[in-house]
């Protein structure tokens, strides 16, 4: 029997503007991991609005299918997205699970050979410190493709992590192959759904991160964690709680960052 759903509307103020949307969520009990598809759709809709405004202003986004240059970066995967992807992987046929496991293993081997695993574990990668920045570059220049990258396209595009959706550039694609030249012009998003998920994850885990490097996903799966259960309630309540946090975590414009 399909679960009863309810439509909820909300508005988030962003400086002089606002983001208004309607979403359909389960009317009854659910949790943050289970409503991820709703958050993904809302994030994509918000990003579409921002990119349309940029295009009108003559700053078209240059990211296109078939360009996986940025898919060599360390991806900060929230623990709720990790839980959701873990369930998706476990539902795959055994042969595909093994193939994916092998891809993750190969990526880890390459990072280990470069002496990066310890640094990844210890560094607070999103802290904005010099050492975090250096680690991001060192990781990138190993050019280890994300295990989900196939023929330079994302093989999980509809369910890709929020940080992947939120990483967009308006500069020529060739700059993305060499980010240390600092010529990459990234799009500033005044709302970052990914950061809000990371923040909730940090509270749930009593840890400063609330996310894992995507490349550690198979190792994380072994613990069988279900962080979504810690953020549960009726659908509208779970969504409104997330939106409330999102609105308080709006990202300052680059000039004040
Ligand atoms: S999940 Fe997809 S979009 Fe994100 S880094 Fe991997 S291949 Fe790229």
């Amino acid at each position: 029997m399909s679960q009863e759903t309810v439509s909820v509307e909300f508005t988030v103020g962003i400086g002089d503007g606002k983001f208004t949307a309607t979403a359909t969520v389960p009317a009854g009990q659910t949790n943050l991991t289970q409503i991820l598809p709703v958050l993904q759709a809302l994030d994509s809709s918000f990003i579409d609005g921002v990119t349309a405004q940029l295009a009108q202003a003559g700053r078209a986004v240059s990211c296109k299918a078939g360009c996986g240059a940025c898919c060599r970066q360390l991806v900060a995967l929230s623990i709720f997205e990790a839980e959701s992807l873990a369930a998706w992987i476990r539902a795959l046929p055994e042969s595909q699970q093994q193939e994916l496991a092998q891809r993750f293993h190969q990526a880890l081997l390459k990072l280990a050979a470069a002496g990066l695993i310890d640094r990844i574990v210890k560094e607070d990668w999103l802290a904005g410190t010099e050492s975090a920045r250096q680690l991001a570059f060192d990781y990138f220049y190993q050019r280890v493709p994300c295990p989900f990258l196939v023929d330079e396209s994302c093989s999980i595009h509809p369910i890709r992590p929020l940080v992947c959706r939120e990483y967009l550039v308006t500069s020529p694609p060739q700059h993305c192959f060499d980010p240390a030249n600092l010529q990459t012009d990234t799009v500033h998003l005044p709302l970052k759904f990914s950061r809000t998920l990371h923040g909730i994850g940090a509270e749930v885990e009593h840890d400063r991160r609330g996310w894992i490097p995507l490349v550690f996903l198979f190792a994380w799966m072994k613990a069988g964690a279900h962080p979504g259960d810690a953020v549960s309630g009726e659908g509208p309540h779970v969504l409104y709680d997330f939106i409330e946090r999102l609105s308080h975590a709006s990202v300052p414009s680059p000039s004040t960052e």
Side-chain angles (χ1 to χ4, degrees), residues 113-185:
L116 288 180
I117 299 288
D118 264 11
R119 288 176 60 198
I120 294 170
V121 169
K122 289 178 187 151
E123 184 67 66
D124 190 357
W125 183 68
L126 300 182
T129 58
E130 189 46 45
S131 63
R133 220 179 335 267
Q134 189 58 51
L135 174 58
F137 284 144
D138 291 347
Y139 187 106
F140 181 86
Y141 286 109
Q142 286 305 310
R143 306 210 186 268
V144 178
C146 169
F148 289 121
L149 188 69
V150 177
D151 295 333
E152 294 304 307
S153 288
C154 179
S155 62
I156 57 164
H157 195 262
I159 56 169
R160 68 197 185 286
L162 297 182
V163 284
C164 301
R165 290 161 206 263
E166 294 168 354
Y167 188 84
L168 297 164
V169 302
T170 54
S171 43
Q174 60 265 31
H175 293 326
C176 295
F177 288 93
D178 190 12
N181 68 15
L182 302 180
Q183 292 191 58
T184 307
D185 192 5

Side-chain angles (χ1 to χ4, degrees), residues 91-245:
L92 290 174
E94 188 63 31
S95 61
Q96 287 182 36
Q97 288 188 46
Q98 282 177 8
E99 190 188 323
L100 255 184
Q102 189 57 23
R103 285 169 164 269
F104 274 80
H105 183 63
Q106 290 302 326
L108 288 177
L109 281 181
K110 194 159 180 201
L111 293 169
L116 288 180
I117 299 288
D118 264 11
R119 288 176 60 198
I120 294 170
V121 169
K122 289 178 187 151
E123 184 67 66
D124 190 357
W125 183 68
L126 300 182
T129 58
E130 189 46 45
S131 63
R133 220 179 335 267
Q134 189 58 51
L135 174 58
F137 284 144
D138 291 347
Y139 187 106
F140 181 86
Y141 286 109
Q142 286 305 310
R143 306 210 186 268
V144 178
C146 169
F148 289 121
L149 188 69
V150 177
D151 295 333
E152 294 304 307
S153 288
C154 179
S155 62
I156 57 164
H157 195 262
I159 56 169
R160 68 197 185 286
L162 297 182
V163 284
C164 301
R165 290 161 206 263
E166 294 168 354
Y167 188 84
L168 297 164
V169 302
T170 54
S171 43
Q174 60 265 31
H175 293 326
C176 295
F177 288 93
D178 190 12
N181 68 15
L182 302 180
Q183 292 191 58
T184 307
D185 192 5
T186 52
V187 171
H188 168 75
L189 293 172
L191 293 178
K192 285 211 172 167
F193 285 56
S194 61
R195 283 198 193 177
T196 299
L197 272 191
H198 294 161
I200 300 172
E203 282 178 27
V204 167
E205 290 217 311
H206 305 291
D207 176 87
R208 71 190 194 288
R209 282 188 178 178
W211 56 272
I212 60 164
L214 180 144
V215 74
F216 288 178
L217 179 59
F218 269 74
W220 184 88
M221 282 168 63
K222 289 194 180 127
H226 294 286
D229 289 343
V231 193
S232 58
E234 292 181 348
H237 173 80
V238 175
L239 180 62
Y240 276 133
D241 184 55
F242 178 88
I243 297 299
E244 173 95 3
R245 289 166 180 265

